[in-house]
Amino acid sequence: MEPKQPSRRGFLLDSTAGAAALAAAGPVSLFPEPARATSTKGIGVLPDYDRYDGIGLAELVKARQLTAGELLEAAVDRVEQRNPAVNAVVNRMYDQAKAAIAAGLLSGPFTGVPYLLKDLGVYYAGAVTSVGSDFFRDAIADHDSEIVARMKRAGLVIFGKTNTPEFGLSTSTEPRLFGPTRNPWNPAYSAGGSSGGAAAAVAAGMLPMAHATDGGGSIRVPASCCGLFGLKPTRARNPMGPDLGEGWNGAGVGHAITRSVRDSAALLDATSGPDIGDPYLAPPPKRPYLAEVGVDPGHLRIAFTTRAWNGQAVDPECVAAVVEAAKLCESLGHHLEEATPAIDEAARSQAARTITAAHTRAALETRGEVLGRPPRPEDVEAITWATAEYGRKLTASDYARAIVVMHRTGRVVGHFFTRFDLLLTPSMCKPPHKLGVLNMAGTLEAFRAAIVGTIAFTQPFNTAGNPAMSVPLHWSAEGLPVGVQFVAPFGDEATLFRLAAQLEAAQPWANRRPPRAI
């Protein structure tokens, strides 16, 4: 849907100014009047570091109020102070970060801003990518993934990796290799997954944004659990090369979990676009995504539902979150109507299970070839092995039929969006689970019974490939974040960013921080 004329809201940028306005505006904080940087060490370098988003920190460096080295020191100090309580960061890459700064950072939208990679889905030359598994604990990459190269060109300072469940197979981050990541809002609860380490690090104030991936809800679920903004881009929006053309047959895609909407938009501008040899492309955007932030989205036709396609019961808190979001959208001039795409969920979920299991088996076999021996049950966690064993029993015909179902789901969802601009749903069927509910050491049956409630609303749009975002607009009576999901037509992140910025201005969430001492 085409935007109306741009308008300013709070700290959001006027879309007509775009990147040029960002460069001229000076340091921008999430709050209107931040304190100036001081020259003391560690956290004293920038006492209100937590109040800045990534763009705001980059502006401090550009204005020479701080150096990239001082920002890195502030981030490292916060990791060392806060990480023991949440276990978000599992690989410290401080020396690599210092070396990158000493060699000279490239000039980009985030020059000097500290950043963390998820320990899954991307390679950083010289660093381990463990995928949360003992089986890969010494798997050192000899090259950067293309998206990491683009992060470096954007000026980001990568200084560590965040926790993830083994192979990204759970929506709770509790790997045997590194132990559980705890939710900063309540350490007895899960931070979500599989990008739970990224979400916990951002929610705990270690940094304003972190890399994440999403193959079934793994950006949106932890964003919901931790009270953050999480956008899953359109299939193929960000590159997966040079090692892969797609993840899980197009279900998987990488991006980030952020505190501010504009950081998510600017990051996507920096990393998106096709790579050489990609098997297919996402529709190109009409303008930079950052230019969409602050643009009036117009009067959107928003469908909504609180009924999960797989029949899972939806907690009253999650229903309330959607009802409140619908009312907020109506107050902003949008039209809301209860409607839902007619997804064949039994066929779709079986197809997703087939594809995930097949790729899990292939990953184990590929690693076994590197090690010169076949994989064994003790190499991985019980759920990973059971998933791989299921994959071993599948036939080529099963796999081919799963791909047909995947494409058919995309067409059903595509036809639905000929009548609506967006779809509003809960991000999850329940508020965050307590730790242990989705531990991967148990039986496959118990695990599947628990996980289907966390991905009931998210995974269908990995299957279809649509962009979707979790927005932190509700907190439960127990004080836990409860996100709502908005889904857009294939290729239309622009409308999501326009609405997200409008919601962020109408009901700001940046001020809401975990009440417990971290």
Side-chain angles (χ1 to χ4, degrees), residues 124-307:
Y124 183 107
V128 170
T129 298
S130 77
V131 300
S133 177
D134 283 301
F135 203 36
F136 287 78
R137 67 184 307 155
D138 58 354
I140 299 176
D142 62 1
H143 63 279
D144 288 343
S145 295
E146 173 60 23
I147 193 170
V148 172
R150 295 181 186 189
M151 292 172 190
K152 291 179 178 180
R153 290 199 291 271
L156 290 165
V157 178
I158 297 168
F159 73 109
K161 291 194 173 187
T162 58
N163 206 4
T164 180
E166 190 170 62
F167 286 32
L169 291 176
S170 178
T171 50
S172 186
T173 302
E174 307 176 42
R176 182 175 68 191
L177 178 61
F178 294 118
T181 292
R182 300 183 179 277
N183 193 320
W185 291 88
N186 186 327
Y189 286 81
S190 171
S194 62
S195 306
V202 175
M206 299 179 203
L207 74 174
M209 56 188 186
H211 169 251
T213 64
D214 193 317
S218 292
I219 287 175
R220 291 157 290 164
V221 167
S224 177
C225 289
C226 292
L228 301 167
F229 180 74
L231 180 132
K232 179 197 83 70
T234 297
R235 175 179 297 147
R237 177 66 67 205
N238 274 330
M240 301 195 76
D243 302 278
L244 296 173
E246 61 180 6
W248 287 357
N249 289 90
V253 64
H255 185 39
I257 292 174
T258 65
R259 192 174 296 283
S260 73
V261 173
R262 69 176 189 168
D263 273 357
S264 184
L267 276 168
L268 198 56
D269 283 332
T271 60
S272 64
D275 187 19
I276 296 171
D278 278 352
Y280 48 79
L281 314 177
K286 294 181 178 179
R287 58 185 69 84
Y289 293 116
L290 185 58
E292 305 291 357
V293 175
V295 172
D296 190 326
H299 301 294
L300 299 174
R301 302 164 298 167
I302 303 176
F304 72 94
T305 185
T306 58
R307 296 181 181 180

Side-chain angles (χ1 to χ4, degrees), residues 306-465:
T306 58
R307 296 181 181 180
W309 291 276
N310 64 8
Q312 285 288 301
V314 180
D315 188 277
E317 289 280 11
C318 299
V319 173
V322 169
V323 171
E324 292 168 8
K327 290 179 179 178
L328 177 59
C329 288
E330 281 189 327
S331 74
L332 295 170
H334 306 301
H335 172 74
L336 276 291
E337 178 182 336
E338 190 164 6
T340 184
I343 295 170
D344 182 348
E345 181 58 17
R348 190 214 62 79
S349 61
Q350 179 57 48
R353 185 184 183 195
T354 295
I355 288 167
T356 302
H359 283 275
T360 301
R361 184 69 200 179
L364 284 183
E365 291 178 353
T366 301
R367 180 62 175 164
E369 291 169 2
V370 171
L371 297 177
R373 64 169 179 83
R376 299 185 290 260
E378 60 268 26
D379 290 326
V380 294
E381 298 182 56
I383 298 303
T384 305
W385 186 257
T387 302
E389 281 294 281
Y390 180 75
R392 183 176 62 84
K393 298 172 184 176
L394 294 168
T395 68
S397 177
D398 293 330
Y399 187 68
R401 285 199 298 267
I403 295 171
V404 171
V405 171
M406 192 174 185
H407 294 167
R408 185 166 65 233
T409 303
R411 293 187 187 280
V412 169
V413 173
H415 280 293
F416 177 80
F417 282 115
T418 62
R419 297 189 293 122
F420 297 99
D421 299 308
L422 296 174
L423 171 65
L424 165 63
T425 77
S427 294
M428 300 167 65
C429 289
K430 296 180 180 179
H433 283 288
K434 282 194 171 183
L435 287 169
V437 173
L438 284 162
N439 186 285
M440 292 176 61
T443 67
L444 184 60
E445 292 72 21
F447 179 80
R448 283 183 55 79
I451 199 170
V452 291
T454 64
I455 61 174
F457 289 102
T458 55
Q459 193 187 50
F461 303 103
N462 293 87
T463 301

Side-chain angles (χ1 to χ4, degrees), residues 37-46 49 60-61 64-78 101 112 114:
T38 68
S39 60
T40 55
K41 296 286 186 180
I43 287 179
V45 169
L46 186 60
Y49 167 95
L60 290 177
V61 174
R64 298 185 179 180
Q65 292 192 39
L66 285 175
T67 66
E70 288 172 325
L71 266 190
L72 175 62
E73 185 179 1
V76 166
D77 280 356
R78 281 162 176 79
I101 293 171

Side-chain angles (χ1 to χ4, degrees), residues 470-484:
S470 182
V471 185
L473 296 176
H474 182 83
W475 269 253
S476 73
E478 290 75 26
L480 293 170
V482 177
V484 294

